[in-house]
């Protein structure tokens, strides 16, 4: 496999060298006639519009809402945690394995958080999702996984 890749690389370099060799040899390429310029019509002057102040990012009716998800992927601490942060979020609903776990209508410093004990989950991987509902009524679904590992068994060595 490695020899085949080296062969293709050598062939590609050879093709490049053939294409560029006349330029290095000092030869000029075949001259092509330049197209005759056509006179452009003179534009009529247009009045300059009065500038309107631009809205600040994240505000106004045209600002696009956003949502990002942060999650602890494993139950190593005994709790699964997920949080959603973004702009124009009205509420966030958290689901685990298609079961509604919580809805948050208020945020802590712009963050909608959810935490649950991993003892509620069976061993293995679980699908989670956070559905952010924006002030306009639109939704965004953010998917995640929670892994509950099998409990380690201590081994007696002596």
């Amino acid at each position: 496999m490695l020899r085949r890749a080296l062969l293709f690389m050598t062939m590609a370099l050879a093709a490049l060298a053939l294409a560029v060799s006349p330029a290095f040899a000092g030869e000029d390429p075949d001259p092509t006639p330049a197209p005759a310029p056509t006179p452009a019509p003179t534009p009529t002057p247009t009045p300059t519009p009065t500038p309107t102040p631009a809205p600040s990012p994240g505000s106004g009716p045209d600002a696009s809402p956003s949502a990002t998800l942060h999650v602890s992927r494993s139950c190593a601490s005994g709790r699964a945690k997920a949080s959603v942060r973004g702009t124009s979020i009205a509420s966030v609903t958290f689901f685990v394995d298609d079961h509604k776990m919580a809805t948050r209508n208020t945020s802590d410093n712009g963050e909608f958080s959810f935490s649950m004990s991993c003892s509620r989950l069976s061993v293995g991987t679980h699908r989670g999702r956070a559905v952010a509902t924006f002030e306009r009524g639109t939704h965004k679904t953010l998917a995640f996984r929670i892994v509950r590992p099998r409990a380690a068994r201590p081994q007696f060595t002596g």
Side-chain angles (χ1 to χ4, degrees), residues 47-74:
T48 57
T50 307
T52 58
S56 63
S59 67
D62 294 333
S64 63
S66 67
T68 56
L69 175 72
H70 303 281
V71 67
S72 63
R73 300 209 184 270
S74 111

Side-chain angles (χ1 to χ4, degrees), residues 45-147:
T46 58
T48 57
T50 307
T52 58
S56 63
S59 67
D62 294 333
S64 63
S66 67
T68 56
L69 175 72
H70 303 281
V71 67
S72 63
R73 300 209 184 270
S74 111
C75 291
S77 66
R79 296 197 68 78
K81 299 174 186 172
S83 62
V84 175
R85 183 179 282 273
T87 58
S88 303
I89 298 175
S91 68
V92 177
T93 304
F94 294 94
F95 296 87
V96 174
D97 292 331
D98 292 328
H99 296 288
K100 181 178 175 181
M101 303 306 281
T103 298
R104 301 291 186 247
N105 295 316
T106 58
S107 66
D108 277 340
N109 297 328
E111 186 173 86
F112 295 83
S113 299
F114 165 70
S115 176
M116 70 177 274
S117 173
C118 289
S119 64
R120 298 177 67 179
L121 300 173
S122 61
V123 173
T125 303
H126 300 272
R127 294 176 318 177
R129 60 186 163 104
V131 180
T133 302
F134 298 106
E135 293 169 354
R136 292 183 183 170
T138 58
H139 303 284
K140 181 176 183 180
T141 301
L142 305 160
F144 61 94
R145 293 183 189 267
I146 299 172
V147 178

